[in-house]
Amino acid sequence: MAEQLFKKILVANRSEIAVRVMNACRTLGIPCVAVYSEADANSRHRWYADESVLIGPPPPRESYLDIDKIIDAAHKTGCDAIHPGYGFLAENPLLPRRCAAEKITFVGPDAEAMRLLGNKIESRVKMAEAGVPLIPGMTGSATEAKVFHDAARKAGYPVIIKAAAGGGGKGMRVVHKPDELDDALEAAQREAANAFGDDTVYLEKYISNPRHVEFQVLADMHGKCAHLFERECSIQRRHQKIIEETPSTAVSPELRARMGADAVKVAQAAHYTNAGTVEFLLDDSGHYYFLEMNTRIQVEHPITEMVTGVDLVVEQIRVAAGLSLSDSLKNLTQRGHAIECRIYAEDGENGFLPSTGKIIHYTEPAGPGIRVDSGIEQGSEITINYDPIMAKLIVHAPNRDMAITKMIGALHQYKILGVKTSKRFMVDVLSHLEFRAGRTFTSFIEQHMGSRSVDDKKYRDAAAAAVIAAMQSAALNGNAGGPGRAAMATPWQSLGAWQIGDSIRG
């Protein structure tokens, strides 16, 4: 019998990614421990684990983001490793640093590589030294507007101001002409300070209408590093990916070889180990530029698994235990085409407002080449406390046309009764002639689906109104302090979103 890599792994996350990591633990015969907040007392990931530990009330800062509570839960349950999943603490270097101090293995990169790559300015400097293609712009920080004006003049308008510690589109402003720059700089600094506690920003040339192409990499502690091909993630809404696919329709074998080699160069320059993703922008002339490296498993990792046959989370755990990359990574090829759709609890026909409620019926699609990574089941509560992603639907087929057709069919099979979802919107995107033709750019939603979306301010205002309404409703029904308990409602209100036959309403 093979030696067990770890005695027990604590999964410091929730919902579908926690369940995904637990599945990898079971593949390796390693017991796993869930942590959960009071809002997740009846959640799927809690019951899926071998053991579970309550770590606090619903606000993430008092539960899933509290490093002391995570470490304490690991010690109490005898865990010798922690897997962070994605989100929450996954890219916070304080967690791997604390794990090292507590003699607990962190399943991910070390703290210094994570810190370096988390700072966009420092990582640009490092990648420039390594010879990786960069978007023209600043390679240092500044506070004086004159420095930004000089850099913009040198790069050429339009330019974009970005937060050094940024992500998710926060602290970002596009500037089309010089007299817009001062106001944009002030707004980006203010937003960066609010979002990340750091108002450092820098400036780059704005690449119009690019594709977002990223490469999965794996690196062990013995100097081996490999890429597992690309994923195209150009279909984005408010800078958040919603549909991903591999291979990219824009990447030739020659371009793949060059971008993959540069992705490996990025990981090696940062002395990176474990799984990571190197993101590039690809313009319509075939030029590509380093964007950033994400130091964790990605939401969209299953499509890479579908075309390569490699279990990326199992590889993460093996590498964290000190093993070399698996022999299965030698001579990898891409087999067929894979697509992932993120299933959000959002009203896709009403500006994508958050949707909350109880899942009163749930049936997943099934069949050859169909995979569902889900954090919900019948009876699950979708609350206002966390990210609205409920599940990921992934399909694999011999070619792209067949994968698109299979995904549309699977979306129609997917029955979620109780909350509204983005499924209908996904079908519309996949059915669009421009998507079918492979002309997928980061501006696809704005250009072709604009009438189905709303701008950022309207979304934030509407989302805030929805949250307040939900809280008021809970208070009126005596449920304000009872996480996990459904508010009293009429039978029709309780039914929530609904669906008959193939007419998708949720």
Side-chain angles (χ1 to χ4, degrees):
M1 184 178 176
E3 183 179 356
Q4 191 168 293
L5 301 178
F6 294 107
K7 288 187 299 184
K8 199 183 291 184
I9 294 179
L10 182 135
V11 183
N13 217 297
R14 64 180 298 279
S15 196
E16 67 88 16
I17 188 58
V19 173
R20 169 69 187 93
V21 173
M22 291 169 193
N23 277 327
C25 291
R26 296 218 164 89
T27 298
L28 294 167
I30 303 172
C32 50
V33 176
V35 292
Y36 67 97
S37 71
E38 291 169 354
D40 281 337
N42 294 312
S43 64
R44 186 181 182 209
H45 83 273
R46 178 193 175 187
W47 302 116
Y48 205 76
D50 298 290
E51 299 173 56
S52 62
V53 180
L54 175 63
I55 54 170
R61 289 192 180 281
E62 298 176 43
S63 49
Y64 296 105
L65 288 173
D66 190 323
I67 292 178
D68 287 339
K69 290 180 178 177
I70 297 294
I71 295 293
D72 187 52
H75 283 313
K76 281 181 177 173
T77 52
C79 290
D80 52 352
I82 292 177
H83 194 303
Y86 58 73
F88 291 132
L89 294 168
E91 292 183 283
N92 185 338
L94 294 178
L95 181 57
R97 197 169 290 143
R98 181 71 182 278
C99 283
E102 300 282 344
K103 311 278 187 219
I104 297 171
T105 299
F106 178 76
V107 183
D110 67 32
E112 177 51 26
M114 187 183 288
R115 187 204 62 77
L116 169 69
L117 293 164
N119 187 297
K120 288 185 168 59
I121 293 176
E122 285 192 51
S123 61
R124 275 173 65 84
V125 172
K126 179 65 75 174
M127 296 315 143
E129 293 171 355
V132 177
L134 292 177
I135 300 171
M138 295 166 60
T139 53
S141 60
T143 55
E144 305 84 7
K146 180 180 182 308
V147 178
F148 285 83
H149 278 281
D150 290 345
R153 194 160 40 248
K154 188 174 178 182
Y157 285 90
V159 296
I160 185 167
I161 299 171
K162 292 182 176 179
K170 293 184 174 63
M172 191 182 293
R173 290 289 186 284
V174 177
V175 183
H176 296 275
K177 49 189 179 180
D179 60 6
E180 296 175 354
L181 198 148
D182 288 345
D183 288 345
L185 177 60
E186 185 180 336
Q189 288 172 325
R190 185 170 57 249
E191 192 171 289
N194 289 335
F196 312 112
D198 179 354
D199 67 355
T200 307
V201 297
Y202 68 105
L203 178 147
E204 288 178 350
K205 172 73 178 169
Y206 179 67
I207 307 297
S208 300
N209 211 28
R211 292 176 187 256
H212 179 119
V213 178
E214 62 186 30
F215 275 71
Q216 177 71 55
V217 297
L218 280 169
D220 64 22
M221 301 175 190
H222 309 284
K224 295 180 183 173
C225 182
H227 77 81
L228 291 86
F229 311 112
E230 83 279 10
R231 296 185 287 257
E232 177 160 343
C233 310
S234 299
I235 304 299
Q236 302 178 4
R237 185 166 51 78
R238 290 192 293 271
H239 306 289
Q240 295 289 337
K241 305 163 188 172
I242 58 173
I243 296 176
E244 302 96 352
E245 64 179 311
T246 185
S248 165
T249 58
V251 177
S252 65
E254 185 274 336
L255 181 58
R256 180 173 297 119
R258 286 195 288 123
M259 294 180 77
D262 275 331
V264 169
K265 198 183 292 184
V266 168
Q268 291 175 328
H271 303 292
Y272 191 88
T273 58
N274 214 272
T277 298
V278 181
E279 298 189 339
F280 296 102
L281 287 184
L282 176 66
D283 69 19
D284 54 10
S285 299
H287 298 120
Y288 63 90
Y289 308 93
F290 170 72
L291 193 61
E292 63 178 335
M293 182 170 182
N294 289 317
T295 57
R296 53 177 162 78
I297 195 72
Q298 293 276 97
V299 177
E300 57 270 27
H301 76 276
I303 57 174
T304 296
E305 296 182 325
M306 294 292 251
V307 300
T308 63
V310 175
D311 187 322
L312 290 168
V313 183
V314 164
E315 284 298 319
Q316 280 194 293
I317 296 170
R318 292 183 72 261
V319 166
L323 300 183
S324 298
L325 293 181
S326 294
D327 289 342
S328 62
L329 292 171
K330 296 177 181 175
N331 304 315
L332 276 181
T333 58
Q334 293 168 293
R335 296 170 297 179
H337 199 96
I339 300 175
E340 174 182 294
C341 286
R342 302 184 185 194
I343 308 300
Y344 288 103
E346 294 179 334
D347 187 349
E349 297 181 347
N350 189 23
F352 301 95
L353 298 180
S355 181
T356 60
K358 187 173 187 175
I359 306 295
I360 59 174
H361 176 77
Y362 183 74
T363 304
E364 293 180 349
I370 296 176
R371 166 177 164 178
V372 180
D373 283 13
S374 171
I376 58 172
E377 57 194 4
Q378 193 160 309
S380 294
E381 290 275 0
I382 306 300
T383 72
I384 60 174
N385 298 296
Y386 308 112
D387 188 280
I389 188 169
M390 297 184 292
K392 301 179 309 199
L393 176 58
I394 309 106
V395 301
H396 181 244
N399 58 53
R400 187 171 188 265
D401 282 343
M402 294 174 73
I404 292 171
T405 301
K406 181 177 284 189
M407 177 59 87
I408 291 172
L411 285 165
H412 281 287
Q413 287 180 39
Y414 207 164
K415 311 297 184 190
I416 303 174
L417 189 64
V419 296
K420 294 190 175 183
T421 77
S422 51
K423 288 189 300 171
R424 177 76 258 173
F425 184 73
M426 300 291 180
V427 171
D428 290 348
V429 172
L430 293 163
S431 303
H432 199 285
L433 291 178
E434 291 295 302
F435 184 91
R436 285 276 188 176
R439 289 188 282 270
T440 49
F441 303 93
T442 55
S443 57
F444 182 94
I445 301 295
E446 289 77 13
Q447 285 187 18
H448 304 299
M449 316 294 291
S451 62
R452 298 285 302 277
S453 192
V454 294
D455 64 35
D456 284 357
K457 184 177 185 309
K458 287 181 179 176
Y459 176 84
R460 288 196 300 271
D461 291 347
V467 168
I468 291 169
M471 294 173 68
Q472 290 174 334
S473 174
L476 286 171
N477 289 292
N479 192 42
R485 292 165 50 207
M488 294 295 290
T490 69
W492 288 110
Q493 288 171 322
S494 299
L495 188 62
W498 52 274
Q499 177 174 322
I500 296 174
D502 286 338
S503 176
I504 296 176
R505 298 283 302 177

